[in-house]
Amino acid sequence: AFRFGQARASERSCLMAERTVEDRLREEYFKLLPDIRFASEQLETKIRHCVLPVSRRPDKHEQVIVTSRIKDCESAIDALRRDKEVRKFNQEQPDLYTLTDLKDLAGVRVLVFPEARLHELNATLAEQFSDWVPNHVMDAEESGDPLAFTYYGRLDAVTNVFAEFQVVSMLIGQFWDVEHSVMYKPSPQYRGVARSLEMQECTHNVYRALKEFEKTFEKLIESP
């Protein structure tokens, strides 16, 4: 019986030793999931309240859409892995990694058209979330305003995970949705296509064209 107990203990020890960093992170994710969902719901509610005075009085051509999402388990693990210099986990030191380091486990996006409304809403939200950290998305080939105004922080009711919100042009935000679905979701091998110089130049051309569309549209509707 003593030897049997030793064998079982040894077996359990081996099983624990075989757990990878990814296994531990998956376990952590599902422990955090209720808080991630609550953070997403709370952030969306707060932002909808903040933008209500603006979104309730748009002209017919103006649009404000607020959406929320949570990062799924495998996307969260991939994001944490990409943050590391060698883009892989050290399996000998699993305690180095935690999903609570990620800044966007819960997220809200505010899609705005036209650009004039974008700056107004960004100013409103930046004031309401003044203690959150700016992490704006820039276009590497353009100077001036960010492509998207992005902030991250923790909510009072959920202090163990970061949340993020983003204020972005509706045209660019919807382009990102299409780009992400065709470049990243189908297969990891397509990420190389997105990083190619040829595709990056095409993407910058899309940004310029979308911005020019908004500027021209606003100029024409303001003309007498």
Side-chain angles (χ1 to χ4, degrees):
F2 175 73
R3 290 180 179 177
F4 178 75
Q6 281 187 317
R8 291 297 300 271
S10 177
E11 181 182 354
R12 286 195 297 269
S13 178
C14 289
L15 288 173
M16 290 180 65
E18 290 173 1
R19 292 182 69 211
T20 65
V21 170
E22 290 83 355
D23 292 334
R24 295 171 185 270
L25 291 174
R26 290 184 185 101
E27 181 181 359
E28 180 187 29
Y29 178 86
F30 288 103
K31 287 181 179 177
L32 290 172
L33 187 55
D35 287 334
I36 298 171
R37 286 173 171 160
F38 185 74
S40 175
E41 292 170 2
Q42 188 190 41
L43 182 59
E44 181 180 6
T45 300
K46 290 185 69 171
I47 287 180
R48 285 187 181 278
H49 176 75
C50 289
V51 306
L52 188 60
V54 177
S55 60
R56 287 289 296 272
R57 55 178 173 82
D59 293 332
K60 290 182 178 180
H61 66 275
E62 295 177 345
Q63 297 186 60
V64 178
I65 297 176
V66 179
T67 62
S68 64
R69 61 107 185 100
I70 64 171
K71 192 177 285 293
D72 67 43
C73 180
E74 296 307 314
S75 293
I77 294 172
D78 286 343
L80 191 63
R81 186 186 293 111
R82 289 195 303 272
D83 282 347
K84 307 307 170 186
E85 186 176 349
V86 294
R87 293 181 177 267
K88 63 180 181 180
F89 298 126
N90 181 348
Q91 299 294 338
E92 302 299 319
Q93 295 182 289
D95 293 339
L96 291 177
Y97 311 107
T98 172
L99 295 177
T100 57
D101 286 343
L102 294 176
K103 305 300 188 289
D104 60 345
L105 283 173
V108 169
R109 175 179 283 179
V110 184
L111 296 170
V112 187
F113 181 85
E115 188 177 29
R117 280 290 188 222
L118 185 149
H119 290 280
E120 182 180 357
L121 285 172
N122 175 61
T124 298
L125 292 171
E127 181 179 0
Q128 291 294 322
F129 293 84
S130 59
D131 58 335
W132 284 38
V133 180
N135 188 29
H136 304 325
V137 179
M138 307 299 295
D139 182 355
E141 289 198 355
E142 298 287 339
S143 59
D145 289 338
L147 287 173
F149 296 97
T150 306
Y151 306 83
Y152 69 87
R154 288 189 172 97
L155 296 156
D156 293 339
V158 190
T159 58
N160 60 335
V161 297
F162 282 106
E164 175 189 86
F165 71 88
Q166 184 178 81
V167 187
V168 62
S169 156
M170 183 170 292
L171 299 180
I172 290 178
Q174 292 183 338
F175 168 68
W176 281 345
D177 287 342
V178 173
E179 181 191 40
H180 187 75
S181 67
V182 299
M183 292 291 187
Y184 297 95
K185 288 294 186 182
S187 173
Q189 71 188 42
Y190 291 170
R191 294 174 186 174
V193 174
R195 290 192 292 267
S196 70
L197 293 177
E198 184 178 5
M199 185 56 69
Q200 288 181 29
E201 178 59 29
C202 288
T203 300
H204 296 311
N205 289 338
V206 171
Y207 293 153
R208 285 191 284 269
L210 295 177
K211 290 178 180 179
E212 187 60 31
F213 176 90
E214 283 197 286
K215 290 178 181 177
T216 302
F217 178 80
E218 289 183 274
K219 181 181 69 175
L220 291 176
I221 64 172
E222 290 173 2
S223 299

